[in-house]
Amino acid sequence: MEILRALSDAFGLLLTGDQALYEIIFLSLQVNLSAVALAALIGFPLGALLATSRFIGRGFINMMVNTLMGLPPVVVGLLVYMMISRSGPLGVLELLYTPTAMIIAQLILVTPIITALTRQSLSRLNDDYQSMFFMLGLSPWRRMRTLIYDGGMDLVTALLAGLGRAMAEVGAVMIVGGNINHYTRVMTTTITLETSRGHLSTALALGAVLLTMTLIINALVAILSGGR
Amino acid sequence: MSIKPTYLTLKGEGLGLKRDSRMVVSNADITVSSTGLTGLIGANGSGKTSLISMLAGLTVPDYGVVSLTDHAGRVASRKQIGLMMQKPVIMRRSVYRNCEYVLSALNIPLSERADRIMAGLALMELEHYAQQDARTLSSGEQQRMALARVLMASPGVLLCDEATSNLDPKSTQMIEAVIMDKAAAGMPVLWVTHNLAQLRRLARQVVFMQKGEILANQNLDDFFHTPACSDVAEYLAYERI
Ligand SMILES: Nc1ncnc2c1ncn2[C@@H]1O[C@H](COP(=O)(O)OP(=O)(O)OP(=O)(O)O)[C@@H](O)[C@H]1O
Ligand SMILES: [Mg+2]
């Protein structure tokens, strides 16, 4: 009974355009999209480089990417916290409990995924193209550009996978963002808080939004990778 | 298409390739030059693709050296080798853009590209496929595109590994005509085929491989009439089946 009440309240909140709720949704999108965009800026070229070139330190970077990909988000949150807290090396920047701090944490979580997926699909493409690249005597830079261009659809898929992970993330953004009302409160952290307080309707409303967004992201991934 | 072609001489000396502690090519001497088309034949696994791959520079030989020189003996760039592999590289682009990519990589001026591409595609009767995604072409059409693409770059020497293996008789004849033209004009061609009738039609010189070794390197008539060794005679006996 209570659950049904919570559900109808949840839709009420969404339909009436509850300001606090939409503020949270908007901040979530802002933080996650910024983090994913920055992660792509690093992950695409880095993944392409790892897929195409042999260089000193490549093994180390590969290992870092794989490790970071498997790292629990709370650990990343903790590490970022230690870096930016008042006594940390970046303490003077006063980033703790700001949206910027959340973007940094998300960036660290998402970049390895985008890098690894880029590396995987582009190294397959590179195998296909390698003999042509060689015969044409192309520079590593030109090879990389070609792969990123021709692997475009795969890269969009990698981007969406990164976005999916960012949207689902709680632990790290909670630690470095502090879940401050009207400032660093995003969808997942709000759901955690409101559920523990017993305010199921707000939690459910955000849950529904999150579910819908995740569904859309995954549908896009399916459509894009279905063409292969 | 107006540039004067400069043809090169591609030479492999004492080429050897070891794979899984087995010699897949051993002590191979071969020259590809402007003296008419050289046919390369041999059973499956005899080392033809491995040899071509070493000549093209794609595979580093374990023994011997490859040289590419112009008529004055100057070393030429590998970019001037036209290579058509058994499984051609098909880029994830339209047929037109597949061709354009190669021309732009070879620094062919932009103003020349469109004409070259359309003329090259027309030569292989592919002009109506220009905008089609190359990956959706049939395997025969892909082979024709690959050949068109390699020819429109005006290579100084041409290496073709079973370029007509997927083609119907009409397309085969079309390609043979084009290749004969090129060879007659002086383009050095090394042509791998399993088709002995085609070999008779195209080749001036024949190189026969078996188990990684070159057992015969003779002109066409001698190859068929007075084979260099019994292995060739045995191989040729199957033609009548
Ligand atoms: N990377 C490799 N590792 C192990 N063996 C190899 C490798 N590459 C080629 N070989 C072997 O070398 C031999 C020659 O192969 P190659 O592809 O040159 O033959 P081919 O004459 O082109 O045959 P086909 O007519 O079937 O195309 C084969 O027995 C093959 O198994
Ligand atoms: Mg072969």
Side-chain angles (χ1 to χ4, degrees):
Chain A
M1 237 25 244
E2 202 190 332
I3 290 179
L4 283 181
R5 258 262 307 285
L7 256 179
S8 72
D9 285 354
F11 280 102
L13 284 173
L14 285 174
L15 292 176
T16 54
D18 183 79
Q19 168 132 31
L21 198 70
Y22 278 91
E23 202 175 86
I24 290 167
I25 295 172
F26 183 71
L27 182 69
S28 282
L29 287 175
Q30 203 181 13
V31 166
N32 293 330
L33 290 175
S34 316
V36 169
L38 289 172
L41 238 43
I42 303 169
F44 287 166
L46 183 59
L49 196 68
L50 291 170
T52 54
S53 312
R54 309 273 169 271
F55 53 90
I56 299 166
R58 178 172 175 270
F60 176 75
I61 296 177
N62 271 327
M63 198 183 70
M64 285 296 290
V65 167
N66 296 340
T67 306
L68 281 172
M69 213 166 31
L71 217 56
V74 284
V75 176
V76 172
L78 180 64
L79 293 175
V80 174
Y81 179 92
M82 294 195 310
M83 292 298 287
I84 63 176
S85 68
R86 203 156 284 271
S87 55
L90 301 176
V92 285
L93 300 176
E94 301 196 334
L95 291 173
L96 192 60
Y97 304 141
T98 62
T100 309
M102 295 195 287
I103 292 175
I104 293 173
Q106 294 285 49
L107 182 64
I108 295 174
L109 285 166
V110 172
T111 305
I113 295 189
I114 294 186
T115 307
L117 289 174
T118 302
R119 177 184 63 194
Q120 189 194 339
S121 62
L122 293 195
S123 75
R124 210 177 311 126
L125 194 58
N126 187 52
D127 287 346
D128 290 348
Y129 285 9
Q130 202 160 33
S131 61
M132 184 186 67
F133 286 160
F134 179 81
M135 293 313 291
L136 295 173
L138 298 182
S139 67
W141 170 240
R142 183 116 185 220
R143 295 173 187 216
M144 218 168 83
R145 259 176 31 209
T146 303
L147 292 175
I148 289 179
Y149 182 83
D150 281 17
M153 279 305 163
D154 290 348
L155 299 195
V156 176
T157 309
L159 198 77
L160 291 172
L163 187 60
R165 171 156 197 189
M167 297 294 283
E169 217 298 297
V170 200
V173 289
M174 184 81 104
I175 293 176
V176 302
N179 203 18
I180 300 166
N181 205 5
H182 302 304
Y183 188 46
T184 59
R185 196 162 284 182
V186 291
M187 287 196 271
T188 49
T189 57
T190 311
I191 291 174
T192 311
L193 180 72
E194 298 297 336
T195 306
S196 68
R197 279 177 178 171
H199 297 168
L200 287 189
S201 53
T202 311
L204 270 173
L206 288 171
V209 173
L210 210 49
L211 186 70
T212 311
M213 287 182 179
T214 313
L215 215 59
I216 292 172
I217 293 172
N218 280 301
L220 285 174
V221 171
I223 290 167
L224 287 174
S225 50
R228 283 281 123 77
Chain B
M1 297 242 155
S2 55
I3 45 165
K4 189 125 188 75
T6 53
Y7 293 128
L8 306 168
T9 299
L10 181 59
K11 199 174 202 166
E13 287 168 290
L15 294 180
L17 190 68
K18 204 171 186 170
R19 288 287 182 262
D20 297 343
S21 67
R22 184 167 68 94
M23 294 302 288
V24 299
V25 175
S26 45
N27 201 25
D29 295 317
I30 189 167
T31 302
V32 190
S33 62
S34 287
T35 54
L37 185 143
T38 304
L40 176 57
I41 66 164
N44 293 135
S46 56
K48 304 179 298 294
T49 298
S50 308
L51 179 60
I52 280 210
S53 172
M54 284 189 285
L55 289 171
L58 279 175
T59 303
V60 180
D62 293 312
Y63 303 95
V65 286
V66 175
S67 64
L68 182 66
T69 49
D70 67 9
H71 61 279
R74 286 178 299 237
V75 173
S77 155
R78 181 181 67 231
K79 291 188 198 180
Q80 299 191 59
I81 300 177
L83 173 66
M84 183 180 166
M85 299 205 297
Q86 210 165 348
K87 277 202 278 174
V89 174
I90 305 296
M91 299 182 82
R92 296 181 181 176
R93 301 175 178 213
S94 70
V95 169
Y96 187 91
R97 295 208 170 281
N98 260 272
C99 299
E100 189 181 41
Y101 185 83
V102 170
L103 296 188
S104 101
L106 293 172
N107 297 320
I108 308 288
L110 193 61
S111 55
E112 254 182 62
R113 286 183 210 159
D115 287 349
R116 274 213 202 197
I117 294 168
M118 289 324 287
L121 290 178
L123 202 62
M124 295 292 148
E125 295 186 358
L126 283 173
E127 63 272 40
H128 300 301
Y129 296 82
Q131 296 314 322
Q132 189 172 330
D133 183 336
R135 287 171 299 167
T136 64
L137 294 175
S138 77
S139 59
E141 288 161 355
Q142 286 184 348
Q143 235 169 5
R144 273 150 56 199
M145 181 198 81
L147 199 58
R149 189 177 58 185
V150 78
L151 286 175
M152 65 185 70
S154 316
V157 50
L158 181 63
L159 310 175
C160 291
D161 197 350
E162 299 185 32
T164 59
S165 57
N166 286 313
L167 300 186
D168 61 49
K170 177 172 167 278
S171 305
T172 305
Q173 197 187 35
M174 182 170 83
I175 283 180
E176 285 183 11
V178 172
I179 290 300
M180 271 196 280
D181 265 7
K182 297 286 176 191
M187 182 182 283
V189 184
L190 183 62
W191 187 263
V192 175
T193 182
H194 289 296
N195 181 339
L196 291 172
Q198 180 176 70
L199 188 74
R200 286 177 189 276
R201 288 191 294 270
L202 296 183
R204 171 83 58 91
Q205 189 76 14
V206 181
V207 174
F208 174 79
M209 285 186 87
Q210 185 165 295
K211 295 188 181 132
E213 288 181 72
I214 294 180
L215 294 186
N217 188 346
Q218 297 178 277
N219 75 47
L220 186 73
D221 277 346
D222 291 349
F223 181 77
F224 281 101
H225 296 118
T226 52
C229 60
S230 57
D231 298 288
V232 174
E234 202 177 302
Y235 184 86
L236 291 176
Y238 289 101
E239 189 181 15
R240 280 169 272 283
I241 294 177

